[in-house]
């Protein structure tokens, strides 16, 4: 095996360099010879550095790396603050983050960028640090769709945690659930809770969507209870249920409300208030005048929501020979007709 070398003229390394000192009888002689080696000057430098670190006069290499990493984390967080605030602003104002494009250079003013980047560019006019971050070379801008999705998910987790804490502190809540399908025609359950907060305000908040594979009452109950548990809500405080009138939800024998009451007998079922009008209208439609009235309202709704027919009506009013002082439809009237159904 070749002897390792280091230092001037590739001087071979001996004891105290590549071999441990185990000849204690000749220790003094070995130490004298070691001190005369040319590569020993490097050992002196290393020893001085070790003593400086040991006496806390200098930082060790690990601490220096940790310090640099901490500074980099601090810088990255400072960059993310403005980006997170823009995402939150779009969410609060119900502004879509993405338009027809969500890529490319955010500083390119020749093309119309998405809403998020437009707001971020506008904010950078008064924020030199953010402006330097957006204009500097590099790929880590933290404005890609993936980063924005992560920010949105993090915000959702924080909001959900606050809702769950309020629900558990209220010690009494009602679960609201309804089946729906998304754009991919996947059946899912919209899970909400209704409760009274510490300031005695009635609140009703959405928790999450739960994919469901079966719409039987028993399977829906499993999805509802597992969804509440996954969110962190204590189901022992469940005192109410609110669903629509479908048999799998409100059924007396196999409905979801019946299965829940077997485990939580205090959870009283109340028909969903949003569906009560539908039930009343369905029952009232057996009366001929009410059925005719609803039919007329439906035709008016279709008429005023059809742009072509709406324009024809306005044209006829404008070209009318009769003396009409007001030749435009009232906005409130159009709104009520358009939203009556």
């Amino acid at each position: 095996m070749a002897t390792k070398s280091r230092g001037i003229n590739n001087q071979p390394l001996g004891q105290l360099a590549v071999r441990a000192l185990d000849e204690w009888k000749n220790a003094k002689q070995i130490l004298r010879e070691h001190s005369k080696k040319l590569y020993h000057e490097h050992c002196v430098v290393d020893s001085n550095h070790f003593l400086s670190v040991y006496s806390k006069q200098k930082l060790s290499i690990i601490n220096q790396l940790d310090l640099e990493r901490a500074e980099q984390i601090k810088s990255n967080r400072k960059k993310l603050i403005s980006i997170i605030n823009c995402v939150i602003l779009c969410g609060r104002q119900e502004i879509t983050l993405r338009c027809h494009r969500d890529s490319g250079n955010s500083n390119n003013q020749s093309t119309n960028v998405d809403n998020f980047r437009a707001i971020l560019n506008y904010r950078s006019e008064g924020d030199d640090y953010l402006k330097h971050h957006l204009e500097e070379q590099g790929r880590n801008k933290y404005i890609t769709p993936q980063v924005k999705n992560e920010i949105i998910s993090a915000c959702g987790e924080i909001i959900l945690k606050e809702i769950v804490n309020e629900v558990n502190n209220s010690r009494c809540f009602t679960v609201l659930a309804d089946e729906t399908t998304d754009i991919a025609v996947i059946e899912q359950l919209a899970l909400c809770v209704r409760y009274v907060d510490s300031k005695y305000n009635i609140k009703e908040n959405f928790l999450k969507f739960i994919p469901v594979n079966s719409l039987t009452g028993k399977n829906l109950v499993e999805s509802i209870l597992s969804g509440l548990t996954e969110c962190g809500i204590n189901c022992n405080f469940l005192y109410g249920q609110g669903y629509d009138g479908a048999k799998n939800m409100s059924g007396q024998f196999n409905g979801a409300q019946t299965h829940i009451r077997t485990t939580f007998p205090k959870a009283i079922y109340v028909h969903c208030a949003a569906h009560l009008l539908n039930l009343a209208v369905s029952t009232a439609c057996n009366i001929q005048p009410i059925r005719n009235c609803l039919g007329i309202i439906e035709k008016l709704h279709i008429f005023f929501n059809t742009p072509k027919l709406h324009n024809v009506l306005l044209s006829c009013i404008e070209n009318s020979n009769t003396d009409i002082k007001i030749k435009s439809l009232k906005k409130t009237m159009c709104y009520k007709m358009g939203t009556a159904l």
Side-chain angles (χ1 to χ4, degrees):
M1 183 176 179
T3 305
K4 294 183 179 180
S5 61
R6 178 185 175 184
I8 301 174
N9 297 327
N10 291 328
Q11 191 175 24
L13 302 177
Q15 285 181 315
L16 297 177
V18 295
R19 297 194 309 273
L21 176 62
D22 51 6
E23 300 177 14
W24 300 106
K25 293 181 179 180
N26 302 321
K28 291 183 179 181
Q29 182 180 354
I30 293 173
L31 290 174
R32 291 192 189 99
E33 292 178 356
H34 175 74
S35 63
K36 296 178 182 179
K37 299 290 185 181
L38 295 178
Y39 61 77
H40 187 260
E41 60 186 22
H42 299 283
C43 299
V44 173
V45 174
D46 295 339
S47 301
N48 292 334
H49 180 72
F50 171 78
L51 294 175
S52 299
V53 172
Y54 184 77
S55 60
K56 298 182 180 181
Q57 295 178 0
K58 292 183 179 180
L59 291 176
S60 65
I61 296 177
I62 296 177
N63 291 336
Q64 290 179 16
L65 294 176
D66 291 341
L67 183 61
E68 293 177 0
R69 184 171 179 272
E71 291 294 330
Q72 184 64 42
I73 292 174
K74 184 178 179 181
S75 176
N76 293 340
R77 288 179 177 177
K78 189 175 180 180
K79 296 174 183 177
L80 278 170
I81 288 175
S82 298
I83 297 173
I84 293 173
N85 287 334
C86 286
V87 173
I88 294 175
L89 173 64
C90 291
R92 285 179 174 173
Q93 300 302 120
E94 299 182 0
I95 301 174
T96 56
L97 274 75
R98 304 170 193 169
C99 297
H100 62 285
R101 59 182 297 138
D102 188 17
S103 60
N105 187 1
S106 60
N107 296 312
N108 189 359
Q109 301 299 329
S110 62
T111 58
N112 186 21
V113 295
D114 58 273
N115 296 330
F116 167 76
R117 298 194 181 201
I119 295 174
L120 198 62
N121 290 336
Y122 181 76
R123 181 187 177 97
S124 66
E125 295 299 326
D127 189 338
D128 294 335
Y129 188 85
L130 176 62
K131 188 174 183 179
H132 177 265
H133 167 64
L134 296 176
E135 293 178 351
E136 68 178 352
Q137 298 296 325
R139 300 178 58 185
N140 297 327
K141 303 293 185 181
Y142 306 111
I143 57 177
T144 61
Q146 293 79 8
V147 173
K148 286 185 285 188
N149 287 338
E150 291 180 6
I151 293 174
I152 293 172
S153 299
C155 292
E157 292 176 1
I158 294 173
I159 293 172
L160 179 61
K161 185 177 180 179
E162 292 181 357
I163 294 173
V164 170
N165 289 336
E166 284 189 348
V167 173
N168 289 334
N169 291 334
S170 68
R171 304 182 67 83
C172 178
F173 73 94
T174 295
V175 61
L176 307 175
D178 194 12
E179 310 103 303
T180 185
T181 55
D182 60 8
I183 193 172
V185 198
I186 298 176
E187 192 72 26
Q188 55 188 0
L189 199 67
L191 190 64
C192 305
V193 287
R194 185 179 175 89
Y195 59 95
V196 179
D197 64 8
S198 59
K199 297 181 180 179
Y200 304 103
N201 297 318
I202 299 176
K203 288 189 175 181
E204 186 173 311
N205 288 314
F206 167 78
L207 294 179
K208 62 188 299 186
F209 286 111
I210 304 174
V212 291
N213 299 320
S214 176
L215 296 178
T216 62
K218 185 176 181 180
N219 290 330
L220 287 175
V221 167
E222 293 177 357
S223 299
I224 292 172
L225 295 180
S226 63
L228 292 173
T229 304
E230 289 175 1
C231 291
I233 293 179
N234 188 350
C235 293
N236 292 324
F237 301 142
L238 178 58
Y239 284 86
Q241 308 175 66
Y243 317 121
D244 57 18
K247 292 298 182 182
N248 61 340
M249 302 299 292
S250 62
Q252 183 177 359
F253 299 102
N254 291 318
Q257 63 96 7
T258 303
H259 288 290
I260 285 185
R261 294 192 68 178
T262 57
T263 307
F264 305 99
K266 296 181 180 180
I268 301 174
Y269 167 67
V270 179
H271 196 285
C272 178
H275 290 81
L276 290 178
L277 179 60
N278 291 344
L279 296 178
V281 171
S282 299
T283 303
C285 279
N286 295 326
I287 304 174
Q288 186 68 28
I290 294 179
R291 184 165 63 246
N292 295 340
C293 175
L294 293 175
I296 295 172
I297 293 176
E298 182 180 5
K299 291 179 180 179
L300 289 173
H301 167 72
I302 295 173
F303 180 87
F304 284 107
N305 279 274
T306 304
K308 186 176 181 179
L309 297 177
H310 192 188
N311 293 334
V312 170
L313 175 61
L314 294 177
S315 178
C316 292
I317 294 175
E318 186 69 25
N319 299 326
S320 176
N321 294 326
T322 58
D323 184 14
I324 302 176
K325 295 181 179 180
I326 301 177
K327 292 188 177 183
S328 62
L329 296 175
K330 295 289 186 182
K331 292 184 179 181
T332 53
M333 176 183 177
C334 295
Y335 174 79
K336 289 180 179 178
M337 289 297 182
T339 58
L341 297 180

